[in-house]
């Protein structure tokens, strides 16, 4: 019919948080007009949150960059891709005259939400050959990697709660009603918790705030921020003290039990109750509940990682799961096996260590090949050999997301050269000399290399591009490949196809050795349009469920995933010990010496008397850090960037809802509107993370209109968890006072 627009449907995994929900997209004239949950998706079953529903607005954002920007005479202007890459080559070459470490790289959280990030960031970092590698991991999750590395020999062997089969779940510092889950991939996390209750199970939330998750829980246990390690050690003490330790089948795979018993002796519930504000009787009862439940799991997240004892807390989460026999069993905490991973032979490994090198200025140790981002400003500002003079950022906004961000903001402004791979001119990329914008996510294929290794059920799903790519615009793989070739000294004109084929060849060489077949034969069987699809096909086919390039006809391949647009269900989590272990002994090292040594620091904190106010962050379902504040549907409604204050504290301070308060720390201060609420513990104030969009030089009009304040003006870059280098973002000592008269009612 004349005037009628033809529409079509495409299916895709949402790339906007860790939940990996399936979306059904309506497309008209090569434009996504509507998004809803994919009811047939094998993992999410139609669940969608406001972020997924706003996917069309995100794609159509007029502020999104679509051509490279180059700084000319102090002003960023649009240029062609070849000119932009030529400028990158010139800028990096000039900086590297000061040595390999003169160039640093910062990798933001969104990298793990794209195939390009999962595949090409590693080669880029290796080509730079710099020790100055930083990422968002030391903002929010490195303690869990370190504790897993010491316990299991592999920093990426992170157990997740078996949500769909557990009888008792204890969540510490986690708010999945708002976050959708983190380091635990679970579409419709709230629905899974409601299902737990419906089958007669219970879940408890330990948190200084009565979050939406805590409000839905069977019990909310308020705790003073930063003291989760004391609480968990008291639980461990009780398990030993009351003869409740039951390792079960884990007994043959665990060493160090007596050493943990000895360490726990100093943390009786009666010794820690005053410090963590949880009654000793409740701590003992919690230990008994975990020991008596048919199955149970303890899960800790942001609130347990971003504190001064983040690694100890992360370790203790798994220690409790082990002592109650709940590690690696259905209903407990289990190790997922993603489709692109291989099943490994059991046996001893190299283990895990940190500190292969240290940061130049503060001597902070390397962890997992990177340095703590808390010291990036030091490395930029401090003269001398190895001073950082150039920076590459890939999908990150550290000016908003890292500690003492005003100092980092100034430091980035002093660089000789900076290049950013990012779709926005935001608070960080406004400092760049070159900005390389990737195409919008609907124009790229999607497979979750990171999140499927953390899924509460083994599934596999691939989404081909829903929209065509402009022939004049490189996809993100091409952008990162060209950067990698420049970093490797091959120049801006080097052919990315050479790198693509080299990366594929590495995967096929491993497969050829494992299968006893020629790599050339396997290469002829690889399917896929473009380098990312071909790499995915090779890894799937040689993966744990793969077709082994035709040897196992019912196995997985890219073709099979394309034939199943709603995903393939690979079944519930299965026990994987001792296969996952890579410690030198081939067993779980329950009491690693670096962790045992750090317990002395916790003993000192046990007897300290808390004084003054402490600041904690909070999440909202419509936000993911600073990413989506330029999407109108996700920022509409009442102001979410408020300082939450308990009514008793508000009365003492003379504060009321709507009044402005000044919050000050050692490093800075902000003025923010107050929200008086009993959902926050006395002595605790809360400010959300990722706001502060009022700095000059950005091009995010919606975000600027809803600027809020940057909580990381208050966080202290000198406060880090010593074992992981993770910056302390929760439990920050602050001063709170009225800043202006109360607003009229």
């Amino acid at each position: 019919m004349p005037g009628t627009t033809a529409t079509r449907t495409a299916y895709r995994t949402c790339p906007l948080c860790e939940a990996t929900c399936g979306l059904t997209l309506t497309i008209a004239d090569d434009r996504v007009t509507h998004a809803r949950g994919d009811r047939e998706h094998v993992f999410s079953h139609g669940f969608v949150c406001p972020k997924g529903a706003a996917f069309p607005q995100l794609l159509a954002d007029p502020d999104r960059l679509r051509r490279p920007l180059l700084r000319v005479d102090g002003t960023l202007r649009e240029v062609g891709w070849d000119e932009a890459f030529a400028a990158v080559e010139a800028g990096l070459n000039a900086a590297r005259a000061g040595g390999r470490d003169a160039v640093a790289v910062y990798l933001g959280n969104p990298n793990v939400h794209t195939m390009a990030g999962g595949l090409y960031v590693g080669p880029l970092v290796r080509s730079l050959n710099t020790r100055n590698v930083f990422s968002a991991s030391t903002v929010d999750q490195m303690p869990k990697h370190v504790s897993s590395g010491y316990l299991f020999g592999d920093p990426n062997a992170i157990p997740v709660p078996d949500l769909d089969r557990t009888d008792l779940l204890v969540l510490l510092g986690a708010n999945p009603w708002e976050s959708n889950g983190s380091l635990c991939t679970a579409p419709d996390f709230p629905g899974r918790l409601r299902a737990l209750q419906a089958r007669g199970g219970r879940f408890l939330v330990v948190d200084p705030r009565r979050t939406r998750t805590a409000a839905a829980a069977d019990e909310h246990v308020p705790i003073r921020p930063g003291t989760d390690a004391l609480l968990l050690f008291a639980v461990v003490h009780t398990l030993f003290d009351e003869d409740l330790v039951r390792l079960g089948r884990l007994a043959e795979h665990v060493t160090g039990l007596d050493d943990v018993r000895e360490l726990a002796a100093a943390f009786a519930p009666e010794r820690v109750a005053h410090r963590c504000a949880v009654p000793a009787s409740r701590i003992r009862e919690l230990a008994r509940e975990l020991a008596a439940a048919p199955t149970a799991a303890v899960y800790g997240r942001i609130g347990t990682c971003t504190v001064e004892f983040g690694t100890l807390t992360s370790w203790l989460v798994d220690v409790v799961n082990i002592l109650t026999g709940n590690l690696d069993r259905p209903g407990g905490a289990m190790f997922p096996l993603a489709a692109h991973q291989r099943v490994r032979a059991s046996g001893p490994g190299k283990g895990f260590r940190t500190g292969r090198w240290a940061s130049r200025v503060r001597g902070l140790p390397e962890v997992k090949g990177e340095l703590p981002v808390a010291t990036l400003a030091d490395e930029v500002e401090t003269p001398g050999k190895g001073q950082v003079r150039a920076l590459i950022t890939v999908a990150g906004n550290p000016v908003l997301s890292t500690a003492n961000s005003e100092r980092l903001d100034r430091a980035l402004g002093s660089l000789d050269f900076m290049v950013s791979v990012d779709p926005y001119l935001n608070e960080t990329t406004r400092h760049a000399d070159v900005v390389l914008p990737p195409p919008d996510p609907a124009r790229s294929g999607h497979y979750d290399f990171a999140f499927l290794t953390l899924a509460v059920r083994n599934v596999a799903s691939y989404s081909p591009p829903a929209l065509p790519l402009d022939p004049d615009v490189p996809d993100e793989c091409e952008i990162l490949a060209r950067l990698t070739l420049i970093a490797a000294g091959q120049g801006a004109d080097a052919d990315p196809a050479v790198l693509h084929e080299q990366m594929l060849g590495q995967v096929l060489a491993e497969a050829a050795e494992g299968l006893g077949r020629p790599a050339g034969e396997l290469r002829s069987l690889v399917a896929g349009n473009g380098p990312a699809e071909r790499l995915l096909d090779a890894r799937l086919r040689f993966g744990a469920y793969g077709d082994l390039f035709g040897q196992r006809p019912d196995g997985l391949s890219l073709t099979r995933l394309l034939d199943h647009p709603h995903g393939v269900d690979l079944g519930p989590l299965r026990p994987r010990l001792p296969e996952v272990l890579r410690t030198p002994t081939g067993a779980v090292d329950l009491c690693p010496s670096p962790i045992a040594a750090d317990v002395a620091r916790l003993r000192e904190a046990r007897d300290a008397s808390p004084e003054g106010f402490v600041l904690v962050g909070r999440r909202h379902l419509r936000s993911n850090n600073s990413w989506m504040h330029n999407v109108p549907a996700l920022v509409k409604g009442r102001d979410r960037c408020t300082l939450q204050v308990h009514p008793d504290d508000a009365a003492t301070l003379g504060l009321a809802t709507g009044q402005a308060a000044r919050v000050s720390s050692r490093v800075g201060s902000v003025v923010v509107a107050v929200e008086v609420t009993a959902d926050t513990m006395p002595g605790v104030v809360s400010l959300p993370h990722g706001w502060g969009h009022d700095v000059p030089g950005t091009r995010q009009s919606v975000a600027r209109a809803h600027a809020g304040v940057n909580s990381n003006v208050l966080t202290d870059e000198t406060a880090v968890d010593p074992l992981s280098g993770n910056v302390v973002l929760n439990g920050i000592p602050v001063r709170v006072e009225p800043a202006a008269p109360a607003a009229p009612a």
Side-chain angles (χ1 to χ4, degrees):
M1 180 181 298
T4 301
T5 299
T7 63
R8 60 184 176 91
T9 298
Y11 301 100
R12 137 158 238 109
T13 301
C14 181
L16 303 180
C17 79
E18 297 186 35
T20 70
C21 298
L23 296 178
T24 299
L25 306 180
T26 301
I27 299 174
D29 294 333
D30 283 337
R31 183 171 62 90
V32 177
T33 60
H34 183 70
R36 60 176 174 82
D38 177 4
R39 296 183 180 90
E40 298 179 60
H41 194 272
V42 297
F43 202 15
S44 59
H45 306 291
F47 176 80
V48 67
C49 82
K51 293 190 288 292
F55 191 60
Q57 279 195 22
L58 178 74
L59 303 178
D61 187 348
D63 289 334
R64 187 181 182 95
L65 302 177
R66 286 163 171 86
R67 287 173 56 83
L69 299 180
L70 174 64
R71 192 174 299 278
V72 179
D73 297 328
T75 301
L76 288 168
R77 62 176 180 85
E78 288 189 353
V79 296
W81 287 95
D82 288 343
E83 184 177 355
F85 281 113
V88 171
E89 180 182 10
L92 291 183
N93 285 347
R96 293 173 94 174
R100 67 174 191 174
D101 295 329
V103 179
V105 61
Y106 176 83
L107 308 172
N109 182 286
N111 278 292
V112 292
H113 295 255
T114 69
M115 288 183 72
L119 294 169
Y120 282 83
V121 159
L124 171 61
V125 170
R126 289 189 291 273
S127 291
L128 286 168
N129 194 29
T130 176
R131 290 184 170 185
N132 284 310
V133 179
F134 306 89
S135 86
S137 293
T138 53
V139 175
D140 63 8
Q141 69 186 52
M142 192 59 83
K144 196 63 189 178
H145 289 294
V146 172
S147 68
S148 291
Y150 284 135
L151 280 165
F152 311 124
D154 181 352
N156 295 317
I158 296 177
V160 302
D162 187 9
L163 294 182
D164 298 335
R165 293 182 290 186
T166 194
D167 296 285
L168 174 64
L169 179 67
V170 177
L171 300 97
L172 297 100
N175 184 14
W177 243 265
E178 303 282 11
S179 70
N180 286 331
S182 180
L183 292 185
C184 176
T185 300
D188 193 10
F189 207 127
R192 294 173 191 271
L193 294 182
R194 286 190 290 263
L196 185 163
Q197 293 170 318
R199 62 177 181 264
R202 302 170 61 239
F203 77 93
L204 287 67
V205 172
V206 181
D207 200 289
R209 296 178 53 247
R210 189 173 185 269
T211 63
R212 288 183 64 200
T213 308
D218 295 277
E219 183 181 354
H220 171 216
V221 180
I223 186 172
R224 186 166 287 117
T227 64
D228 304 83
L230 292 171
L231 171 75
L232 289 169
F233 238 142
V235 168
V236 171
H237 175 101
T238 304
L239 291 172
F240 283 116
D241 186 51
E242 299 187 8
D243 194 24
L244 298 174
V245 174
R246 300 289 185 271
L247 295 184
R249 64 174 287 270
L250 297 174
E252 62 181 303
H253 302 300
V254 170
T255 64
L257 186 67
D258 290 338
D259 296 325
V260 172
R261 183 199 307 268
E262 184 177 341
L263 289 175
F267 297 95
E270 293 74 18
R271 291 293 304 273
V272 308
H274 76 288
R275 186 70 177 86
C276 58
V278 180
S281 59
R282 186 65 193 94
I283 298 174
R284 287 190 177 273
E285 187 57 33
L286 177 60
R288 295 168 190 149
E289 290 169 355
L290 286 165
T295 62
V298 179
Y299 165 64
R301 198 42 205 109
I302 290 286
T304 60
C305 285
T306 56
V307 292
E308 59 179 326
F309 299 103
T311 301
L312 282 180
T313 308
S314 298
W315 167 69
L316 285 162
V317 165
D318 287 322
V319 168
V320 172
N321 285 328
I322 291 167
L323 296 182
T324 56
N326 282 300
L327 181 73
D328 198 46
R329 74 161 174 169
M334 305 190 74
F335 299 94
L337 179 61
H340 63 279
Q341 294 179 300
R342 294 283 297 156
V343 175
R344 305 185 295 195
S346 299
K350 294 182 179 179
F352 172 76
R353 65 188 180 97
T354 67
R356 292 174 294 174
W357 61 87
S359 66
R360 178 179 61 101
V361 179
R362 287 165 56 187
L364 297 177
E366 161 273 339
V367 180
K368 280 193 71 188
E370 61 182 83
L371 295 171
V373 72
T375 196
L376 175 55
D378 302 313
E379 298 300 323
V380 174
E381 293 178 342
T382 307
K385 184 179 180 181
Q387 180 184 9
V388 170
R389 298 312 307 150
L391 176 67
I392 300 173
T393 69
V394 185
N397 193 359
V399 165
L400 289 190
S401 62
T402 62
N404 197 354
S405 57
E406 286 191 332
R407 180 189 176 197
L408 182 61
D409 192 25
R410 293 191 299 271
L412 297 190
S414 72
L415 289 167
D416 295 332
F417 184 73
M418 179 172 162
V419 56
S420 296
V421 180
D422 202 285
Y424 286 107
L425 198 63
N426 60 28
E427 293 76 20
T428 295
T429 62
R430 79 190 206 279
H431 291 294
D433 296 282
V434 181
V435 183
L436 305 170
D440 70 60
R443 301 177 193 276
S444 301
H446 189 88
Y447 175 88
D448 284 294
F449 286 104
F451 302 135
L452 291 177
T453 67
L454 298 163
V456 300
R457 188 175 179 90
N458 292 318
V459 299
S461 179
Y462 174 68
S463 310
L467 297 175
L469 189 67
D470 186 325
D472 296 326
V473 176
D475 69 12
E476 191 170 1
C477 292
E478 203 86 350
I479 293 170
L480 294 177
R482 292 189 71 174
L483 275 180
T484 300
L485 292 168
I486 291 170
Q490 297 186 36
D493 296 327
D495 185 0
V498 175
L499 178 62
H500 301 325
E501 198 64 26
Q502 180 185 54
M503 291 170 60
L504 180 60
Q506 291 170 350
V507 177
L508 293 176
E510 181 184 358
E513 181 179 358
L515 298 175
R517 296 165 65 182
E521 174 192 332
L522 302 185
R523 176 64 182 89
S524 69
L525 299 174
V526 173
N529 295 317
E533 285 195 353
R534 288 190 286 272
L535 281 165
L536 175 60
D537 187 50
R539 293 178 67 172
L540 288 173
R541 299 180 80 167
F542 191 54
Y545 315 89
D547 76 345
L548 305 182
F549 294 89
Q551 290 181 200
R552 190 164 59 194
D554 60 344
L556 280 186
S557 64
L558 175 65
T559 299
R560 184 174 174 198
L561 291 189
L562 288 170
D563 289 340
H564 292 78
H566 310 289
V568 175
D569 184 7
L570 301 170
L573 305 184
R574 297 186 291 271
R576 293 187 63 203
L577 289 181
E579 175 230 328
V580 299
L581 300 177
R582 285 297 177 269
T583 57
T585 62
V588 176
D589 186 356
L590 198 61
C591 194
S593 55
I595 285 180
D598 198 40
V599 173
R601 195 169 57 94
L602 185 64
R603 282 196 296 268
E604 293 180 8
R606 176 196 61 194
D607 299 322
S609 298
E611 298 179 4
F613 289 98
V614 292
L615 176 72
V616 298
R618 68 179 188 268
R619 293 287 298 267
H620 193 281
L621 187 58
R622 293 177 180 268
S623 294
N624 190 346
N625 303 325
S626 65
W627 295 11
M628 284 163 274
H629 294 162
N630 212 55
V631 180
L634 299 180
V635 294
K636 66 181 181 181
R638 66 183 182 88
D639 183 11
R640 300 201 302 271
C641 190
T642 60
L643 183 75
Q644 292 187 342
V645 183
H646 189 274
D648 293 349
D649 295 329
T652 300
L653 294 167
L655 292 171
T657 293
Q659 186 177 350
R662 179 173 295 279
V663 187
S664 306
S665 71
R666 186 192 75 83
V667 298
S669 68
V670 298
V671 174
V672 60
V674 168
E675 178 186 349
V676 178
T677 173
D679 289 342
T680 297
M681 282 179 70
V684 177
V685 294
S686 175
L687 192 61
H689 171 91
W691 299 85
H693 303 292
D694 55 352
V695 298
T698 63
R699 297 183 193 174
Q700 292 182 289
S701 56
V702 175
R704 177 176 288 278
H706 300 80
V709 299
N710 181 2
S711 64
N712 281 316
V713 169
L714 302 169
T715 52
D716 188 342
E717 82 279 21
T718 66
V720 298
D721 167 38
L723 290 179
S724 67
N726 207 96
V727 68
V728 177
L729 299 182
N730 278 296
I732 301 295
V734 292
R735 184 174 66 255
V736 183
E737 57 194 343

